[in-house]
Amino acid sequence: MTEAILLVGGKGTRLRPLTVHTPKPMVPAAGVPFLTHQLARARAAGVEHIVLATSYLAEVFEPYFGDGSALGLHIEYVTETEPLGTGGAIRNVASRLRSGPDEPVLIFNGDILTGLDIRALVATHEESGADVSLHLTKVDDPRAYGLVPTDPTGRVTAFLEKPQTPEEIVTDQINAGAYVFRRSVIDTIPAGRPVSVERETFPGLLAAGAHLQGMVDSTYWLDLGTPQAFVRGSADLVLGRAPSPAVPGRRGESLTLPTALVAPDAKLTGGTVVGEDARIGEGARVCGSTILAGAVVEPGAVITDSLIGAGARIGARAALTGAVIGDGAVVGADNELREGVRVWCGATLPAGAVRFSSDQ
């Protein structure tokens, strides 16, 4: 297995305002665009050729990664003119693949942070003789995911999309978003129209008698679809809980990129990342958060589990918990922002405009 398809075309609407100016795979996690971690792990597993299936803000990928040689890869780019869904995106890039009909092609989603043993998934695929092999993981609450029950040999028996009642929850195994396809199977996906691999391709293959194999790998797995999950994933990369050869520094409580300025008495903990040219003022405390390039955190601010967009400014003594601040936004001094708040790109909150405690 030497080539892969990476699906990076989604709009990332659940991540807004982070994705207003930046496609989700290019939002920095642990100091580099999240996509960098996926590409590096694929290369470490032996992948040499990757086709990126792009759509939303497609123009930003190639200027950053180029031909992939800096990562030891050969990267090609295919842009959808209109959204084709997961299956349609896979089919749309098929002409760029070099594998023979029976050779394996790795496919993975551009918003999953995982410790998956990629080589083990490919080995499972080849040893079982499957047409498609799926990475499965176990979750405590599977209602938000597609369930994938298997028989004792690991062969997939059904696909159950987002069950709600207890009777429907027949397994805690879910589709974890990484697959190995027999090359010839990709050509059976209808071309030129939207196709969902989860709702159409996989159930259709199963109904036609194809062999779909599941491999349960319960190492680290996180869907980075929400701002809270994205911040957590970045922190876990810095802390060493999630594996990646692309973290630009030592694992630990924080990661400060070279051109950032952090006051000597500021405290950075919990996997915090301070991006290029960002500034952290005197007495500030930042825990489990991502401060993107050029952002400013003024003296005495306290930021927890939050993401501060590029060029944003957080005023003195402001307190943020679970907040997302868009690029270029300004949060004035003494504001208090709590779980789930999103301040849009370029917005300005005057000093003391939002509070949960009195002003005394």
Side-chain angles (χ1 to χ4, degrees):
M1 189 274 305
T2 60
E3 67 180 349
I5 299 169
L6 190 45
L7 304 176
V8 293
K11 291 186 176 180
T13 52
R14 290 184 298 160
L15 276 179
R16 288 181 172 254
L18 300 180
T19 51
V20 170
H21 302 128
T22 307
K24 178 166 52 176
M26 296 299 287
V27 176
V32 295
F34 174 68
L35 180 55
T36 310
H37 299 289
Q38 293 186 305
L39 294 173
R41 293 201 73 240
R43 182 67 191 94
V47 173
E48 298 172 358
H49 176 225
I50 291 185
V51 184
L52 296 188
T54 67
S55 179
Y56 177 65
L57 295 176
E59 65 276 8
V60 308
F61 292 95
E62 189 166 3
Y64 188 91
F65 292 106
D67 63 2
S69 57
L71 292 169
L73 292 164
H74 176 60
I75 298 177
E76 293 187 69
Y77 305 84
V78 176
T79 301
E80 301 167 19
T81 54
E82 55 187 59
L84 293 172
T86 48
I90 293 167
R91 181 66 178 86
N92 192 49
V93 307
S95 63
R96 301 295 184 92
L97 298 174
R98 305 165 180 170
S99 301
D102 290 324
E103 291 182 319
V105 178
L106 175 68
I107 300 171
F108 48 118
N109 290 328
D111 55 1
I112 300 296
L113 178 59
T114 176
L116 168 68
D117 185 337
I118 296 172
R119 291 183 186 273
L121 179 63
V122 176
T124 295
H125 176 79
E126 294 181 331
E127 290 163 7
S128 66
D131 296 298
V132 180
S133 296
L134 298 87
H135 170 210
L136 309 179
T137 193
K138 295 177 180 289
V139 295
D140 293 332
D141 183 0
R143 288 176 297 177
Y145 304 100
L147 303 192
V148 187
T150 54
D151 70 14
T153 69
R155 188 160 182 158
V156 174
T157 58
F159 289 92
L160 309 171
E161 275 299 312
K162 297 183 180 178
Q164 298 303 311
T165 67
E167 294 75 23
E168 292 177 304
I169 301 174
V170 298
T171 180
D172 59 355
Q173 296 175 178
I174 67 164
N175 177 355
Y179 322 113
V180 178
F181 273 64
R182 187 191 303 272
R183 169 66 182 86
S184 58
V185 174
I186 294 175
D187 292 326
T188 69
I189 300 173
R193 68 168 177 85
V195 180
S196 167
V197 74
E198 300 86 358
R199 292 177 174 82
E200 181 177 345
T201 304
F202 291 157
L205 287 169
L206 202 60
H211 180 177
L212 280 74
Q213 188 74 15
M215 187 194 84
V216 177
D217 181 306
S218 295
T219 53
Y220 185 98
W221 184 87
L222 186 65
D223 178 349
L224 301 184
T226 66
Q228 293 75 19
F230 200 96
V231 170
R232 178 183 152 200
S234 176
D236 285 347
L237 284 161
V238 175
L239 291 166
R241 295 171 181 165
S244 170
V247 176
R250 295 178 59 185
R251 295 342 188 248
E253 286 293 314
S254 65
L255 173 65
T256 300
L257 272 63
T259 57
L261 296 175
V262 179
D265 64 345
K267 189 173 184 180
L268 310 178
T269 59
T272 287
V273 182
V274 182
E276 298 279 0
D277 300 318
R279 301 205 315 270
I280 310 296
E282 294 81 1
R285 289 181 288 149
V286 187
C287 178
S289 298
T290 295
I291 314 298
L292 293 184
V296 175
V297 176
E298 294 185 358
V302 178
I303 300 174
T304 305
D305 299 336
S306 298
L307 195 148
I308 312 303
R313 177 178 290 269
I314 309 302
R317 300 173 304 281
L320 282 63
T321 300
V324 180
I325 311 302
D327 297 343
V330 177
V331 176
D334 299 306
N335 277 289
E336 297 175 355
L337 305 181
R338 292 188 181 174
E339 199 72 44
V341 70
R342 305 185 192 209
V343 178
W344 231 248
C345 299
T348 297
L349 287 182
V354 179
R355 297 187 62 83
F356 289 84
S357 61
S358 76
D359 61 353
Q360 300 300 315

